Amino acid sequence: MGIQICSFTPLSPLEVRLIEAVSPEVSLADFGKWTGDERQRQALARSDVVLAWTARFTRADAPRTRWFHGVGAGVDHLLSGDLFRGGDVILTNSSGVHAAPISEFVMANMLALARKLPRLMELKREHRWPSGQRGEFMVDEVAGKTVGIVGYGNIGRQVAARARAFGMRVLGLHSGRPRAAGTLRWGAVDIEPDAMYQPGQLHEMLTASDFVVLSVAATAQTAGLIGLSEFRAMKPTAYLINVSRGSVVVEEALIRAVREGLIAGAALDVFEQEPLPPDSPFYDLPNVIVSPHVAGLFSEFTARMADLFVENLRRFLAGEPMYNVVDPERGY
Ligand code: OXD
């Protein structure tokens, strides 16, 4: 009967051909996105492999499925249903695919915060040249400053390499598990941090950091990881940059920390509730950059994700160890 693959993420004709070229056994139905209509449900009921961002269906809807590839790096949104409960569906993610663009986004935010870009843009909008106010822009350089990276995985490592190139000191917080065995790396440069902290040493790392970058997976262990006592541990001149998930930060505590000057500001790409509601206080906090969960968007995303999927499909069919296998219990 061959290997039936259902894709609920849009693929180009070339990507479909590359996937089908892995074996004459393979046939792929690309639906672009999940709508749950009858045609999709019938295809899903026959599929051995599913490729999708999220799973709005149950194990009973996909009884033959043996492997699910998650289009994102985070899999938190995939784990609420029963698809992975029985332990008989392999779950892989796309960690590494957009580590470089996300780390570029982190650096863009770091420099924007350090060089007060939001304020400069405000002046431009107001057609103002701030004569006599230039002292406001007498800032510190990021060279020599310290970045503390919470979650030293694919994204964290690429942030580290870029920060090092800017002359920064790099601290990493270990997730506590050994590094996963191999993936496609897309030219990633691995650097050792100046110091690696263990999970119990979060406060020590926060105290030493001028920028704290959250690139950790959203799990039961990391929910609410950064709350009021963590903001109190940070320097009043430090900034928080979150490209992980909103659940990692206690948002009320963050709002308070920025308002009361416990920290200097933040750049947030992810929120507890997305879309961020229009009345969210984050929009009005002057020292906070808000972006609508775009850090990972880049033009080559699907092509790279398809490369990873093709290599994993080859491994799946050959019974070889696959890249980016996620433990649903652990959540990463
Ligand atoms: C992801 C994301 O998880 O972009 O991949 O948020």
Side-chain angles (χ1 to χ4, degrees):
M1 191 169 164
I3 297 288
Q4 310 288 322
I5 304 177
C6 262
S7 165
F8 300 111
T9 196
L11 299 169
S12 71
L14 174 63
E15 288 148 10
V16 171
R17 278 208 301 282
L18 288 171
I19 292 170
E20 288 191 327
V22 171
S23 155
E25 295 285 289
V26 168
S27 71
L28 169 66
D30 177 20
F31 292 101
K33 68 172 189 180
W34 172 252
T35 60
D37 69 21
E38 199 41 40
R39 212 165 56 90
Q40 291 196 356
R41 287 191 174 276
Q42 280 176 14
L44 180 64
R46 290 191 304 270
S47 72
D48 304 284
V49 179
V50 176
L51 175 60
W53 166 261
T54 191
R56 291 205 186 86
F57 42 80
T58 63
R59 184 74 176 117
D61 297 320
R64 285 174 50 105
T65 300
R66 285 178 288 142
W67 166 32
F68 184 106
H69 181 74
V71 169
V75 296
D76 43 306
H77 52 287
L78 286 167
L79 300 176
S80 50
D82 71 348
L83 202 54
F84 304 103
R85 283 217 189 118
D88 49 354
V89 180
I90 301 167
L91 172 61
T92 54
N93 69 4
S94 300
S95 175
V97 165
H98 46 5
I102 293 178
S103 63
E104 288 175 7
F105 190 82
V106 167
M107 296 311 291
N109 274 293
M110 200 183 276
L111 295 171
L113 290 165
R115 298 306 314 227
K116 304 197 173 185
L117 283 196
R119 178 77 184 118
L120 291 170
M121 284 167 166
E122 198 175 85
L123 290 170
K124 173 175 179 277
R125 248 188 332 270
E126 293 166 0
H127 292 210
R128 282 181 52 212
W129 184 275
S131 316
Q133 276 174 262
R134 293 162 67 83
E136 187 184 344
F137 300 102
M138 197 67 76
V139 295
D140 283 348
E141 58 193 3
V142 297
K145 292 279 186 292
T146 297
V147 57
I149 303 173
V150 181
Y152 208 72
N154 281 316
I155 297 169
R157 282 160 198 267
Q158 297 234 19
V159 170
R162 284 158 181 78
R164 175 75 55 77
F166 273 88
M168 300 180 79
R169 204 167 141 248
V170 175
L171 311 179
L173 188 86
H174 207 275
S175 69
R177 76 154 182 171
R179 187 129 207 255
T183 183
L184 300 183
R185 303 300 311 280
W186 296 281
V189 187
D190 249 353
I191 67 147
E192 286 307 315
D194 294 288
M196 182 65 99
Y197 291 80
Q198 297 309 311
Q201 298 178 301
L202 173 64
H203 279 216
E204 245 175 87
M205 192 182 84
L206 295 177
T207 308
S209 301
D210 299 294
F211 294 89
V212 173
V213 175
L214 304 181
S215 50
V216 73
T219 64
Q221 285 68 41
T222 60
L225 184 70
I226 308 292
L228 204 53
S229 68
E230 285 66 40
F231 291 120
R232 289 210 164 103
M234 285 171 68
K235 300 180 186 179
T237 49
Y239 292 99
L240 179 81
I241 300 177
N242 190 5
V243 289
S244 157
R245 287 289 183 266
S247 62
V248 176
V249 174
V250 181
E251 292 188 340
E252 262 177 45
L254 172 55
I255 292 166
R256 184 167 161 199
V258 174
R259 284 194 179 137
E260 294 180 6
L262 298 180
I263 63 170
L268 309 170
D269 190 51
V270 286
F271 299 88
E272 191 79 70
Q273 188 185 343
E274 294 181 11
L276 186 65
D279 61 352
S280 165
F282 284 124
Y283 286 117
D284 296 315
L285 288 175
N287 300 340
V288 173
I289 298 177
V290 167
S291 54
H293 204 145
V294 292
L297 300 187
F298 79 116
S299 54
E300 289 299 301
F301 182 87
T302 321
R304 273 196 205 165
M305 191 272 299
D307 279 354
L308 172 62
F309 185 78
V310 162
E311 176 54 22
N312 257 348
L313 180 58
R314 193 194 62 69
R315 288 165 175 254
F316 177 73
L317 296 177
E320 291 172 15
M322 292 164 71
Y323 287 149
N324 287 25
V325 176
V326 172
D327 176 349
E329 286 286 311
R330 211 170 35 200
Y332 58 96

